Amino acid sequence: MLGRGANGVYWMSRYLERAENTARLIDVGFHLALTRGSRQSQDEEWKSVLTTTGQLEAYCETHSEFTGPQVFNFLLREKDNPGSVLAMVENARTNARVVRTSLTNAVWETTNEGWMNLRELLARPVRETSLGEVLREIRRTGTLVRGALEGTMLRNEVFNFSRIGTFIERADNTARILDVKYYVLLPSAAWVGSSLDNVQWDTLLRSVAGNRAYSWLNAGSMDPRGIAKFLILDGQFPRSLVFCFDKIRSNMAGLAKEYGVEVPAHELLRDAGARLHQTSIEEIFETGLHEFLQDFIGKTIEISSAIAADYRFSE
């Protein structure tokens, strides 16, 4: 499974996770833009979506306005955008095909069918009236493939590499969303840590599918510091930074057991995981949330690079 095989399974899962995360951001951006009174405010919301996905610079190379249809079609289907959802799902399918003999029929079929359905839905520009259907299909594809992996795959190296790819992508996404939403969208830096509009924070939670879970744990109270703690340190929430890193460590331990040896990435993970578990939200805010998240994103990239080097596949 080293090299090409590990690369295929790892990136299949990363691309599918990234596509689903992008769909959630578009969905939240669309609904929040509808609540904005002015065209400028709506444009700023769509600009924020592009910033969070890391595609603002690429968008600005070919577009000068930030209208909803222009932005979500760029993110969903634009041919010249290698970071579009359609391109990501196609890349996931290509990687799955490379390692098809290592996957169960259920995993391959759900990946392939998801790609075919999305290719048909995105064959022409998406209108606002059909956006919901497209986003549901993207989320559905990710859910079905994960379900097939969980329900039919042996707990071997293939499964471990797939899960590592999923949780590295998910951790990076949660950190970037929290960083961008917490700073870019606030009216003023003086508002950081204060009581803010509930819609704003509900939007942040919806972008990581965490609004219901947070409400259960906090009786619906929207507290910025509490939300940051939930997304960073809550071990029950499957998209928190702690949860994701615990899962990466668990699957890396599975690889060490199967291969009979640890690699340098194991040590990096242990250090990063210990840091997360030993810190508190008070310490994070004292040193600076932005600085903490930027350091976390950098550490995630370092770990991803180390895993690729240790197991001989591309980043």
Side-chain angles (χ1 to χ4, degrees):
M1 180 52 62
L2 296 182
R4 188 181 183 194
N7 181 77
V9 150
Y10 174 86
W11 278 107
M12 176 194 79
S13 296
R14 283 202 71 166
Y15 280 127
L16 285 173
E17 180 70 23
R18 193 177 301 175
E20 184 177 344
N21 292 337
T22 301
R24 291 186 189 283
L25 285 169
I26 293 172
D27 188 37
V28 168
F30 175 70
H31 284 96
L32 193 57
L34 291 177
T35 69
R36 302 304 195 195
S38 67
R39 168 67 183 277
Q40 182 179 358
S41 296
Q42 293 173 9
D43 289 357
E44 284 300 314
E45 181 56 41
W46 284 114
K47 188 175 181 180
S48 172
V49 172
L50 290 164
T51 300
T52 308
T53 60
Q55 299 195 57
L56 178 61
E57 185 177 346
Y59 180 86
C60 290
E61 289 176 359
T62 54
H63 300 79
S64 58
E65 297 183 341
F66 295 93
T67 63
Q70 278 190 329
V71 172
F72 62 66
N73 273 286
F74 175 82
L75 291 171
L76 289 171
R77 63 178 298 276
E78 189 147 322
K79 185 180 297 184
D80 295 328
N81 178 18
S84 72
V85 167
L86 186 59
M88 285 187 276
V89 175
E90 184 171 0
N91 285 336
R93 185 222 184 215
T94 298
N95 279 285
R97 187 171 57 188
V98 169
V99 293
R100 185 172 177 180
T101 56
S102 298
L103 302 174
T104 60
N105 286 338
V107 174
W108 164 251
E109 287 170 4
T110 51
T111 304
N112 190 49
E113 288 171 8
W115 170 73
M116 289 191 294
N117 291 340
L118 285 171
R119 183 178 60 172
E120 182 177 348
L121 283 171
L122 296 173
R124 58 194 69 83
V126 178
R127 298 175 181 271
E128 290 186 352
T129 52
S130 60
L131 180 61
E133 178 188 3
V134 172
L135 299 179
R136 281 192 296 273
E137 181 59 30
I138 297 166
R139 293 194 298 267
R140 177 177 173 274
T141 296
T143 300
L144 288 175
V145 175
R146 278 197 305 274
L149 280 160
E150 290 284 348
T152 68
M153 291 290 295
L154 291 172
R155 269 37 178 184
N156 57 13
E157 56 188 349
V158 181
F159 181 81
N160 284 320
F161 277 120
S162 171
R163 296 274 287 178
I164 290 166
T166 293
F167 284 108
I168 282 181
E169 187 66 38
R170 186 175 295 179
D172 181 79
N173 179 72
T174 297
R176 291 180 188 276
I177 287 175
L178 182 55
D179 194 27
V180 170
K181 291 290 183 182
Y182 208 91
Y183 285 92
V184 174
L185 296 186
L186 292 179
S188 164
W191 284 45
V192 174
S194 66
S195 177
L196 295 175
D197 176 49
N198 283 0
V199 174
Q200 178 85 328
W201 291 107
D202 185 61
T203 298
L204 170 58
L205 290 167
R206 285 180 185 277
S207 66
V208 291
N211 53 310
R212 184 66 62 86
Y214 180 83
S215 180
W216 285 335
L217 293 173
N218 296 276
S221 174
M222 289 292 177
D223 167 55
R225 183 170 295 220
I227 291 172
K229 181 180 179 181
F230 174 70
L231 295 179
I232 296 170
L233 300 175
D234 196 309
Q236 298 179 87
F237 180 53
R239 293 180 180 273
S240 75
L241 305 189
V242 160
F243 186 97
C244 290
F245 262 51
D246 282 351
K247 291 301 180 182
I248 296 168
R249 290 169 69 190
S250 173
N251 290 113
M252 285 291 288
L255 292 178
K257 182 178 180 180
E258 187 153 356
Y259 295 143
V261 64
E262 287 194 346
V263 294
H266 283 93
E267 186 63 30
L268 288 174
L269 270 169
R270 266 193 295 271
D271 290 344
R275 238 184 110 196
L276 275 174
H277 280 282
Q278 291 168 9
T279 193
S280 67
I281 196 64
E282 289 75 22
E283 291 171 332
I284 290 172
F285 272 80
E286 185 177 337
T287 58
L289 178 61
H290 175 67
E291 289 74 17
F292 172 86
L293 292 169
Q294 285 296 304
D295 181 69
F296 178 88
I297 291 168
K299 183 61 69 176
T300 303
I301 293 171
E302 182 184 0
I303 290 169
S304 175
S305 299
I307 292 171
D310 293 338
Y311 293 108
R312 302 197 294 275
F313 60 84
S314 62
E315 291 186 64

